[in-house]
Amino acid sequence: QVPINRLFKGSEMSICFYTITPQPEQNPVAYIFRLFSDKDGYSKLINTRAFPVTNPQNPKATEEAASLYGDLCVADFMNQEENA
């Protein structure tokens, strides 16, 4: 599996994206979520969260939960950037 990367563009100077990486890559026990902001050419790690796999028979459900969390975090972050 490869990390999930989602990219969201805010204003001309702001980009927000996240990655979801399985740990370990084979038979993951957790998915690591990282939220980044790139503003004026500088990247900044904003948030990191681990999503433990709660059902080893269905790790995809945990990956999907991490992805939903990422979508919500990005929407919230971009909303804060627009209102700042």
Side-chain angles (χ1 to χ4, degrees):
Q1 277 184 342
V2 296
I4 294 174
N5 298 293
R6 300 255 172 109
L7 178 66
F8 301 86
K9 187 171 183 180
S11 66
E12 289 300 315
M13 303 290 238
S14 179
I15 295 173
C16 187
F17 64 97
Y18 67 87
T19 63
I20 298 172
T21 310
Q23 293 296 321
E25 283 190 37
Q26 298 297 320
N27 301 315
V29 295
Y31 287 88
I32 308 302
F33 163 87
R34 291 181 181 91
L35 178 67
F36 298 89
S37 171
D38 191 328
K39 191 170 185 179
D40 299 325
Y42 295 98
S43 292
K44 180 180 176 183
L45 176 63
I46 298 174
N47 188 358
T48 300
R49 182 167 178 193
F51 285 81
V53 173
T54 55
N55 181 354
Q57 306 303 328
N58 187 13
K60 186 76 174 160
T62 302
E63 183 179 12
E64 290 169 357
S67 182
L68 175 60
Y69 179 79
D71 290 344
L72 295 172
C73 282
V74 166
D76 182 55
F77 180 81
M78 296 307 287
N79 188 39
Q80 289 178 22
E81 285 288 305
E82 288 176 9
N83 293 327

